[in-house]
Amino acid sequence: MGSPTGSKVLSLRIDGELLDRVRDHAAKRGMSVQDYVIRTLIREDFDERFKTSVDETERFYGRAP
């Protein structure tokens, strides 16, 4: 999951209960917490970009009937 510009470090403070939930979600998928968080951020970024693209297309062409 490297980036074209190389990897960077992001440090954050997280509530213990939230971290436990994230660990559980990651474990259910056989992933590390780091990989799970990165995939979640990538998916959220894609969803946001896709929605923006759809919104712009609808503004340009009008909504489908």
Side-chain angles (χ1 to χ4, degrees):
M1 284 198 193
S3 69
T5 59
S7 63
K8 308 286 187 209
V9 174
L10 170 67
S11 176
L12 58 103
R13 190 173 308 267
I14 187 171
D15 177 78
E17 289 180 27
L18 177 57
L19 180 56
D20 289 342
R21 290 196 314 267
V22 170
R23 280 187 182 132
D24 288 344
H25 289 296
K28 287 177 186 174
R29 291 161 179 79
M31 302 170 76
S32 69
V33 170
Q34 177 178 322
D35 287 344
Y36 176 79
V37 170
I38 288 169
R39 283 186 181 252
T40 301
L41 291 171
I42 289 169
R43 184 178 61 240
E44 179 67 25
D45 180 59
F46 171 80
D47 290 348
E48 187 174 311
R49 287 183 289 133
F50 181 76
K51 182 184 180 320
T52 299
S53 173
V54 169
D55 290 347
E56 289 175 3
T57 300
E58 286 178 345
R59 275 195 301 276
F60 185 77
Y61 291 106
R63 287 193 176 263

